[in-house]
Amino acid sequence: ELDYDQGKRALLERLAEESYPAATVQGEVRLEHEQRLAQVTYRVVLGESYRVGQLKVEGEGGLPEGPILAAAGLERGQPFRQSMLADVQHEVYALGAFSSVEVDRELNASAHEVDLRVQVKPLGPHTFRLGVGITSGALQCTQSSTVESVPQWDTHLLARYERRHVFG
């Protein structure tokens, strides 16, 4: 059953990546207990191909919407791909102005379009970030045709404070 359900999910994800986010997958499993076999049949209904519709931005507060839309890099009417959601999230988050970015899709069946909603949460005026890391490895040195292996360890601590809107 797990393989059957994973197969259905994989088909739906692949179809959404190929511009068919409204496709449906139904299936049937026939078990032959004595031979320990299962025969799986999937029925796929593609429906219409979908295109990108409206891109809505929510939660930006006083920040301008233009750079967010530009970072998303989508044009209305281009073929929809499911991976666009992750791409838009990555690009908007890379602007560096948000603590979180979530992208949701909404199917508009009458227009065969997928409207995208980008929900952002701006960073506060004070941001403090802390990171710790450890690296290990070996350094090889050559001197007069001999090779030495010197163990190398690196530990580091990174702290960053940022004050936004200092001058209003």
Side-chain angles (χ1 to χ4, degrees), residues 5-168:
D5 290 337
Q6 287 176 343
K8 281 176 65 173
R9 277 194 299 277
L11 278 169
L12 287 170
E13 288 173 12
R14 180 64 186 180
L15 292 168
E17 185 63 22
E18 298 297 326
S19 300
Y20 296 97
T24 59
V25 176
Q26 296 177 341
E28 181 180 322
V29 180
R30 291 187 195 148
L31 299 175
E32 297 177 20
H33 295 285
E34 301 211 1
Q35 291 139 349
R36 295 185 170 197
L37 294 175
Q39 181 180 359
V40 178
T41 305
Y42 292 108
R43 285 181 298 286
V44 177
V45 178
L46 288 179
E48 295 291 327
S49 175
Y50 277 63
R51 301 205 169 271
V52 174
Q54 293 180 350
L55 182 63
K56 304 170 194 167
V57 179
E58 296 175 355
E60 74 278 8
L63 297 174
E65 193 174 278
I68 299 168
L69 295 173
L74 296 178
E75 293 180 25
R76 188 175 191 150
Q78 73 184 87
F80 172 78
R81 293 183 344 269
Q82 182 68 24
S83 60
M84 288 177 168
L85 278 67
D87 293 344
V88 169
Q89 181 182 25
H90 178 74
E91 294 299 325
V92 173
Y93 189 74
L95 290 172
F98 306 107
S99 62
S100 70
V101 177
E102 294 182 23
V103 182
D104 298 316
R105 71 176 200 187
E106 186 176 316
L107 300 181
N108 182 345
S110 61
H112 304 295
E113 291 183 335
V114 179
D115 297 330
L116 300 178
R117 184 179 69 230
V118 181
Q119 293 180 315
V120 295
K121 182 178 179 187
L123 286 172
H126 303 278
T127 304
F128 182 72
R129 297 178 183 174
L130 182 66
V132 178
I134 299 175
T135 305
S136 68
L139 176 66
Q140 293 184 347
C141 301
T142 59
Q143 293 177 337
S144 62
S145 54
T146 61
V147 177
E148 295 180 33
S149 179
V150 179
Q152 180 180 1
W153 289 86
D154 175 30
T155 59
H156 51 274
L157 174 67
L158 176 67
R160 183 171 120 184
Y161 171 75
E162 188 174 328
R163 169 80 166 112
R164 295 176 173 267
H165 312 294
V166 175
F167 302 109

